[in-house]
Amino acid sequence: MKILRRLRYLLRQRQQERELAEEIEFHRRMSGDPRAMGNITRAREEARAVWIWPWLQSVWQDAGYAIRNLRRQPGLALLALAALGFAIGINTSLFTVYNAVAIRPWPVKDPERVVKIFSTDPRHEARMFGGIGIAESRYFASQSRAFSGVAATRQEPVHFGFESFGTPSWAAFVSGNSFRVLGFRMHLGRGVLPEEDRAQSPEAVAVLSFAFWRDRFGSDLSLVGKQVHIDEVPFTVVGVTPEDFTGASDGGGRQDVYLPYPALLLLHPTEQWPRDLLTDAEYCCEFAFGRLVPGVSRSQAAAELEVLDRQFRTSQGTGSRTFTLADSAMFNNPGRKRQMAAAFTLMFTAGMLVVLLACANVGNLLVARASARQKEIEIRRAIGAGRARIVRQLMTESLLLALGASALGLAIAYKLPLVLLNRIGEPGALRLAPDRVVLAYATALAVFACFSFGLAPALHATRAVASRRLPLRNLLLAAQVTLSVVLLMGAGLMLRSLADLRNRDPGFAIEGVSTIAFELPARSYDGAHTQAFYRQLIGAAPGGHFGLTEREPLGNSFAQTDFRPARTPETSRSLIDFQVVTGSYFDVLHIPILAGRNFTLSDKGRNVVLINETLARRFWNGQNPVDKTIVSRQIAREIVGVVRDAHTTNLDQLEPIFYVPFTGFAIPKVLVASNDSATVESIGIAVTRLEPRARMQAAPLRNNLDRWLRGPRLGAQLAGALGLFALILATVGMAGVSAYAVQQRTREIGIRMALGARPAQVVRLVLSGSSRAVVIGLVAGFAIALPASRLLRNVLYGVSPLDPVAYLSVALILAIAGLAASYAPARRATRVDPLTALRHE
Amino acid sequence: MELLPGTLDLLILKTLRGGAKHGYGIAQHLKVVSEDVLDVGESSLYPALQRLLLNGWVKAEWGASENNRRARYYTLTAAGRKQLEREREDFERMIGAIQKVLA
């Protein structure tokens, strides 16, 4: 293949030219002819030109011709660009997100050598991928030969002096070697230094992220060396990270400021946990990452960590673990991999269907146009153009369309991901700016699209024997209908599922309940103080119900811990959701106690729990669980009651959950059985009386439900948008085929009408052409959608993938669209004047 | 003496029919066999060789020359052999026709 040889030459051009120069040099030396000296350059130039020049010239010619041709039919070009551009835009947007989530490494020096470190405890029943403790990460850093450095980090919310309630900034507490392990040029100043990471002498230094420095400090170049207040503690700013560095985290959380680990002692001076975290070898787990020594493979490094881990932990008397190393892409956690792969497979499948649909549509436009250009093509063949040459010419037009569409697609992908991600939450540290990988993807997609919509029409148009009937058009029409059915089915199911979710009874009172979140000055409230504060608050309770809980219902957070009935083996323990609440929580939310009793004040000092029905069924099927004993966190606890199931963690499924009485060690949320601002305010007044510096924010509980529905709603909207796009393209396709049929058969229609055919018969004639393709497409579409809808199983709530309502509506919608698309052409056919028609041609 | 246009490819292919040769070897061969009539310079020889490479009629490999220098050797491919036959027929028809005209 000439094209392959040419491509290989171009790929290795520099080497090829060097070889040619050497060859000519050899020639000159052998001939010993000084006269040849002057010719060397020319010989090289001319020899090189053989590979590129004539080809370039013909490509240029083809491109110019193609542009003139496309400009002659701007409507077609625009339609094709819009359809393909949208399809490629959707796909490239999706890929941009995928790239940011799963491919793009942290922007650091030699990113391929930087890995995230995950530990797994083989004794745990569920395979969980966790981090490692600070002490152990330091041990690794000092002992490992495979890593040039191992660093640890954790994220905590903090407040800068200027921040209002509810908008904390995120501090990444980092080990002293973190910036060296990552390796990048600071935008300003320096990073955190190893000597600032000593628990005995905490240093109040802060490194700001570029975005935070830009947005909150107006890119103040003189900020380095100045003081900022974090949780009321003065810190000295020592540096600003580079612009493209958006953090080193697992899961893409935002990182606004980097502080050395011991700064935790400055921010929480009265609390014990920062001390334990920094010094206790058993305190687990921080997120860890490391830089591999050149030439060391990941499996070697993981094996070394296992050995070091055993050494470290046998001295502590605990069991050993295994390690998994992963690329530094933002969401690259081996525990999430499968779930993420499933979600993206689904989205990419839909995206590719849209591309194929757009291709079928544009392909059909091109077939129609090629038949209009039949004369031109015949002339070109007659004067000696080979079939391959004409196909190439037609393909150049397709490629131009595809590349134009891909430019449009890139423009869409530049904006769309950010807009969509902002709707479900904040995009955090994801770097969504298109990079080379995204560019390559969009181009590859354009080339793929070009061949899938361009090749068949080009080959079809240049066949030696041109047939009158064009089955290719009907084939492409059937393909369009098939793809539309599949996409519309997806949209239908997602919309049905959203409707089901919205109408679902959550099992607890949502309307007429408010939540109040608090912030207490962190430095003066350690565990004991917090506890005292809430005891006082409960005592000072104004009239009306209110309950305390660590986590709001549907608040998008949950906690799990180990759980087993007493007198069962320790190995049988499971991870179960738990909630820390006061007894009044159930009153406020109208969750009835079905058996036993609620928490009471006399439970103080006793280890009691409440369980929900699902949990009761799971472990005490049929028996009464009240008064039974369970073990959790090595403490025996008595079950005092069973509460009715409620969707407090998850609107989709009912999870087993147990409740532990509130003891006041963590800052809870207050649930108030009222939306009345005066009632909510009265609690605020009670709080301010206890602690004037307390800040709080009230919101209706309804907001949580709305937030919870955001994901499914966005999913349904996206699926709906794709379905609508599919419907439009299919309608345009059907209209085009009918119009073409009428045009082709004007003469025949004229004759039939002259012979007395009635309008109804003419309409039937027009419809019969494309209706078979539509019916075949519908049948094929449903045949594919039936098994394919199982892919949606995991994102559908309360709706079967075989939901008959969705299937029937899709069939109905497409039938209506088909009739609507054929209406205008059919009407035109009935108005054909036999005389004009017969004179036609 | 100037070559007839298009004949250099044919002559190179024919030369390589006898076995692999480097560029200088091809020029030498043409010169010797034609008794010094055909003296092909680098500026026409190497573009021609590149053209043959592009069309897949010859392939090139580096090897040691007779005086132990690195040199690029060209060999005829199967496609090149067919091309040689074709060009040779064309050329003979052409020469025959020219001779008829001149006679």
Side-chain angles (χ1 to χ4, degrees), chain A residues 743 746-747 835-841:
Chain A
Q743 197 192 338
T746 306
R747 199 178 153 86
L835 277 179
T836 330
L838 290 171
R839 246 184 266 128
H840 187 77
E841 285 197 24

Side-chain angles (χ1 to χ4, degrees), chain A residues 357-618:
Chain A
L357 175 63
C359 284
N361 202 281
V362 176
N364 228 348
L365 291 174
L366 290 182
V367 175
R369 196 165 73 118
S371 56
R373 280 168 72 177
Q374 206 63 47
K375 284 223 174 65
E376 173 207 331
I377 289 169
E378 272 160 22
I379 291 170
R380 269 144 68 82
R381 294 210 66 164
I383 56 177
R387 184 180 185 193
R389 190 71 188 76
I390 297 177
V391 168
R392 194 182 120 183
Q393 165 65 53
L394 293 172
M395 287 305 285
T396 305
E397 286 179 39
S398 299
L399 190 63
L400 274 181
L401 275 179
L403 288 177
S406 130
L408 195 64
L410 275 171
I412 293 175
Y414 188 72
K415 284 278 172 221
L416 190 62
L418 198 65
V419 173
L420 292 184
L421 288 175
N422 270 327
R423 290 187 72 156
I424 27 177
E426 60 177 292
L430 291 182
R431 287 184 297 140
L432 296 168
D435 61 354
R436 245 182 289 172
V437 184
V438 171
L439 210 64
Y441 180 81
T443 314
L445 207 56
V447 172
F448 165 79
C450 159
F451 278 95
S452 39
F453 72 73
L455 197 57
L459 291 176
H460 187 84
T462 54
R463 281 174 319 171
V465 191
S467 69
R468 278 288 130 203
R469 289 192 50 76
L470 292 171
L472 182 60
R473 291 216 68 172
N474 281 328
L475 198 70
L476 286 171
L477 180 65
Q480 282 180 58
V481 174
T482 305
L483 292 164
S484 313
V485 169
V486 177
L487 284 166
L488 280 170
M489 273 316 304
L493 288 171
M494 295 287 282
L495 289 168
R496 288 270 298 157
S497 151
L498 179 66
D500 182 87
L501 269 187
R502 280 160 93 167
N503 297 331
R504 188 172 289 188
D505 173 18
F508 63 91
I510 278 210
E511 307 301 340
V513 177
S514 301
T515 63
I516 307 177
F518 290 98
E519 274 166 15
L520 295 172
R523 267 155 52 77
S524 16
Y525 277 85
D526 58 0
H529 278 93
T530 318
Q531 206 172 9
F533 174 79
Y534 284 108
R535 206 169 307 132
Q536 282 173 303
L537 178 62
I538 294 171
H545 277 318
F546 76 91
L548 303 182
T549 168
E550 280 192 3
R551 286 159 217 284
E552 294 174 27
L554 295 178
N556 207 12
S557 82
F558 64 97
Q560 293 190 319
T561 190
D562 64 286
F563 180 99
R564 66 184 167 91
R567 288 187 294 281
T568 53
E570 186 148 350
T571 49
S572 73
R573 60 190 184 168
S574 331
L575 277 178
I576 300 287
D577 287 359
F578 77 99
Q579 244 296 28
V580 182
V581 297
T582 56
S584 48
Y585 171 87
F586 302 105
D587 302 334
V588 172
L589 293 182
H590 297 299
I591 300 176
I593 313 286
L594 299 177
R597 60 169 179 86
N598 199 340
F599 294 139
T600 60
L601 285 175
S602 60
D603 286 332
K604 198 165 170 307
R606 291 174 60 200
N607 289 313
V608 294
V609 297
L610 285 165
I611 63 175
N612 74 346
E613 292 171 275
T614 305
L615 185 57
R617 262 198 307 277
R618 176 145 160 199

